[in-house]
Amino acid sequence: MTISVETCWALSKLWYPDRLQIDWQPKSGKRIQTIFDSIGLEGEFWSVGD
Amino acid sequence: MLFSSRESEVRLFIYQYFIDTAEAPPIRAITDGLTITKAGAKASLKALESQHALVLKPDSFDIWMAHPFSAVPTSYPVRTYQLTYYANCAWDALGIPAILEIDSETETTCPDCEVPVIFGVQDGKLTSSEGVIHFSVPPRKFWDDVGFT
């Protein structure tokens, strides 16, 4: 699956900055799906399931 | 909460060490930096790995990855004004400027056609929007073999 560099940059900005917070916890599947959906990463490939 | 306060402190220490040195901290740095025992540090590393907060090298307590950072050289060096970091993949090469909010430049080659590729970020924006980034593995399987991913 390929995505544009612009989409990957948008994903990076949503995915990574919270890692520097002391109370960071792994993202839930629901949170991950919300991030993907928000930048148009949809379909079976981007489905994380339950 | 999945992580204890100590595990969170170890995790953040690892990230800060990567940011400051572009390297992963050896376990001695963790024990000295946080004034904890070696056994305590090892337990935290294992707990963090079990929840995919980092990756250890096989059969060791050496840190391999704390995404987006790699402790070993990769095909995705991320040059910044201060240090050159190594990212685990093309996505992570953008993850480093995202997490550090810093300008970056990555020079690599297309894994498909071997053409040189340069991409990065300046003032919060991509320096070039050309090209695509390939994901070999769907997200639900990222951790089945994270080294391959």
Side-chain angles (χ1 to χ4, degrees):
Chain A
M1 175 65 68
T2 57
I3 66 174
S4 71
V5 178
E6 288 180 336
T7 299
C8 196
W9 175 230
L11 177 60
S12 297
K13 289 187 289 184
L14 292 169
W15 194 269
Y16 276 122
D18 64 350
R19 298 247 172 168
L20 298 185
Q21 296 173 8
I22 186 66
D23 59 353
W24 178 87
Q25 300 284 343
K27 294 176 179 63
S28 66
K30 185 176 180 181
R31 173 65 183 142
I32 291 170
Q33 201 68 68
T34 298
I35 289 173
F36 289 164
D37 290 350
S38 74
I39 53 175
L41 297 177
E42 299 172 330
E44 174 63 18
F45 186 90
W46 298 102
S47 174
V48 296
D50 296 329
Chain B
M1 298 288 281
L2 282 169
F3 299 134
S4 68
S5 58
R6 169 170 292 176
E7 290 158 359
S8 292
E9 288 172 2
V10 169
R11 192 192 65 79
L12 198 57
F13 182 89
I14 291 166
Y15 272 88
Q16 193 60 57
Y17 197 97
F18 261 115
I19 291 167
D20 292 343
T21 69
E23 297 178 351
I27 199 161
R28 179 65 182 270
I30 297 171
T31 58
D32 289 353
L34 296 175
T35 319
I36 60 176
T37 64
K38 192 172 182 179
K42 286 181 174 179
S44 291
L45 290 172
K46 278 296 183 187
L48 291 166
E49 183 182 50
S50 73
Q51 295 298 323
H52 301 162
L54 54 77
V55 183
L56 300 174
K57 293 177 184 175
D59 303 316
S60 82
F61 289 92
D62 297 333
I63 297 161
W64 179 9
M65 308 175 198
H67 292 87
F69 299 103
S70 170
V72 298
T74 69
S75 298
Y76 301 96
V78 179
R79 285 196 297 271
T80 73
Y81 76 96
Q82 189 173 9
L83 291 169
T84 295
Y85 302 95
Y86 284 101
N88 298 293
C89 59
W91 172 17
D92 283 353
L94 293 174
I96 288 176
I99 200 170
L100 297 180
E101 298 182 345
I102 198 171
D103 293 350
S104 73
E105 184 177 78
T106 293
E107 188 171 356
T108 186
T109 55
C110 172
D112 185 41
C113 60
E114 299 184 355
V115 170
V117 176
I118 297 176
F119 62 98
V121 172
Q122 187 169 20
D123 297 329
K125 296 180 180 178
L126 291 171
T127 52
S128 171
S129 59
E130 292 181 12
V132 295
I133 290 177
H134 182 72
F135 285 72
S136 301
V137 178
R140 63 182 175 279
K141 295 185 176 179
F142 276 173
W143 288 91
D144 290 358
D145 182 352
V146 69
F148 175 76
T149 299

